[in-house]
């Protein structure tokens, strides 16, 4: 009977299994990236729906809801010289400019300054 050579077993992973591991890691990365993109897209849709849910011209009632403040505070906020207003119509505020104003004034320092102005008014 002829002698057969046996392959020696090693603990090191074969090239084939290492490649498979890399492929699995890449697949996981792709799936996680797709999930993150989907979540970001969904959040963008929700943010857009909230913003454009309101009519192009806002009322004080809309501002109360958007800013989650009382009417007396809305009155003080809209009295601020930089707050956007529609001149010909009293108590009417352009939606897109209001949201831009809110974005510009959402830092803690801006709100503290605005709060001090309102308290002193």
């Amino acid at each position: 009977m002829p002698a057969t050579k046996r392959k020696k077993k090693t603990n090191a992973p074969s090239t084939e299994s290492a490649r498979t591991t890399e492929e699995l890691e890449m697949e996981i990365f792709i799936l996680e990236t797709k999930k993150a993109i989907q979540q970001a897209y969904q959040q963008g849709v929700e943010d857009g729906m909230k913003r454009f849910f309101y009519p192009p011209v806002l009322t004080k009632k809309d501002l109360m809801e958007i800013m989650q403040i009382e009417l007396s505070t809305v009155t003080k906020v809209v009295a601020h010289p930089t707050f956007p207003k529609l001149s010909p119509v009293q108590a009417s505020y352009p939606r897109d400019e209001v949201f831009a104003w809110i974005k510009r004034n959402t830092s803690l320092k801006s709100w503290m300054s605005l709060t001090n102005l309102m308290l002193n008014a």
Side-chain angles (χ1 to χ4, degrees):
M1 203 173 186
T4 58
K5 291 187 176 181
R6 293 176 130 183
K7 284 190 173 180
K8 187 176 182 180
K9 289 186 177 182
T10 63
N11 291 334
S14 68
T15 306
E16 186 176 308
S17 67
R19 195 178 104 220
T20 303
T21 302
E22 288 175 7
E23 289 172 352
L24 289 173
E25 288 173 349
M26 181 57 75
E27 188 174 331
I28 290 169
F29 173 76
I30 290 169
L31 291 172
E32 288 175 349
T33 302
K34 284 181 181 181
K35 183 179 176 183
I37 291 169
Q38 180 62 33
Q39 288 173 339
Y41 172 79
Q42 187 64 37
Q43 185 64 50
V45 169
E46 289 173 13
D47 290 348
M49 287 173 61
K50 285 178 188 173
R51 179 176 179 180
F52 294 106
F53 168 78
Y54 295 99
V57 177
L58 302 174
T59 63
K60 285 186 177 183
K61 184 178 178 184
D62 294 324
L63 296 177
M64 287 173 56
E65 187 177 317
I66 292 166
M67 295 183 200
Q68 299 179 358
I69 56 178
E70 297 294 325
L71 181 59
S72 60
T73 308
V74 167
T75 302
K76 292 176 183 177
V77 169
V78 299
H80 192 272
T82 63
F83 194 83
K85 301 168 190 72
L86 293 175
S87 300
V89 184
Q90 192 174 23
S92 298
Y93 312 95
R95 177 193 61 208
D96 295 340
E97 286 83 358
V98 167
F99 278 99
W101 185 89
I102 292 170
K103 187 174 182 178
R104 284 191 311 272
N105 291 280
T106 53
S107 72
L108 180 59
K109 184 177 179 182
S110 296
W111 276 107
M112 295 288 284
S113 174
L114 182 60
T115 304
N116 287 335
L117 285 173
M118 290 187 302
L119 293 174
N120 296 325

